[in-house]
């Protein structure tokens, strides 16, 4: 896996943190933002863990967790946008990046599992 994906997901996590810092405080926003922060920062963290895997299967497992977290992050971003808690211009590029990350991770998982069989 390219070092680029590690850096890309780290930058993505930083952007999620910046969004959280900029969001207007309310009970609903706080709850949703906690969910987004957990999933959005977990994508890259699990990619980091995957590099320490003992086997191809363990690598695929951790990458699949990253994929799940990317999917969840995309969901929370959509919910924040559609609920009106954030302006579209605050999240549209993050939604696009989350979509791209999902596709890349899906491909990595699929190819890794295909080689393991």
């Amino acid at each position: 896996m390219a070092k680029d994906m590690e850096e890309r997901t780290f930058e993505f996590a930083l952007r999620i943190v910046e969004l959280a810092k900029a969001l207007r405080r309310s009970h609903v926003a706080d709850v949703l933002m906690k969910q987004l922060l957990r999933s959005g920062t977990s994508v890259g963290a699990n990619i980091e863990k995957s590099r320490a895997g003992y086997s191809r299967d363990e690598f695929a497992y951790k990458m699949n967790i990253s994929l799940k977290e990317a999917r969840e992050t995309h969901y929370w971003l959509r919910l924040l946008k559609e609920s009106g808690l954030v302006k579209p211009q605050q999240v549209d590029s993050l939604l696009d990046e989350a979509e791209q990350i999902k596709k890349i991770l899906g491909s990595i998982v699929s190819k890794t599992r295909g080689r393991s069989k």
Side-chain angles (χ1 to χ4, degrees):
M1 179 189 53
K3 187 85 168 160
D4 179 51
M5 195 61 185
E6 291 173 10
E7 188 60 31
R8 187 171 182 171
T9 55
F10 183 81
E11 291 295 324
F12 181 69
L14 283 176
R15 291 176 60 202
I16 295 289
V17 170
E18 290 302 315
L19 176 64
K21 290 178 1 184
L23 188 62
R24 239 186 357 234
R25 302 282 317 231
S26 73
H27 176 68
V28 172
D30 288 349
V31 169
L32 296 179
M33 205 33 105
K34 283 180 186 177
Q35 294 288 88
L36 177 64
L37 280 166
R38 283 186 191 112
S39 64
T41 57
S42 181
V43 176
N46 279 293
I47 288 174
E48 287 289 334
K49 287 184 210 175
S50 75
R51 295 180 54 78
Y54 295 110
S55 66
R56 186 174 298 279
D57 287 341
E58 188 175 353
F59 173 81
Y61 175 75
K62 290 294 183 186
M63 293 302 283
N64 195 50
I65 291 173
S66 289
L67 173 59
K68 289 177 181 181
E69 295 294 340
R71 293 179 63 83
E72 181 178 345
T73 300
H74 190 268
Y75 173 84
W76 295 121
L77 288 167
R78 282 183 51 223
L79 187 58
L80 283 165
K81 177 182 175 181
E82 297 300 323
S83 68
L85 289 168
V86 297
K87 296 176 183 155
Q89 61 266 29
Q90 289 178 287
V91 294
D92 283 344
S93 67
L94 280 167
L95 278 164
D96 181 57
E97 181 68 356
E99 187 65 35
Q100 290 179 39
I101 289 170
K102 284 176 9 184
K103 288 178 182 176
I104 294 166
L105 290 172
S107 176
I108 290 169
V109 169
S110 178
K111 287 177 184 174
T112 303
R113 285 186 174 160
R115 288 185 201 140
S116 294
K117 293 179 180 179

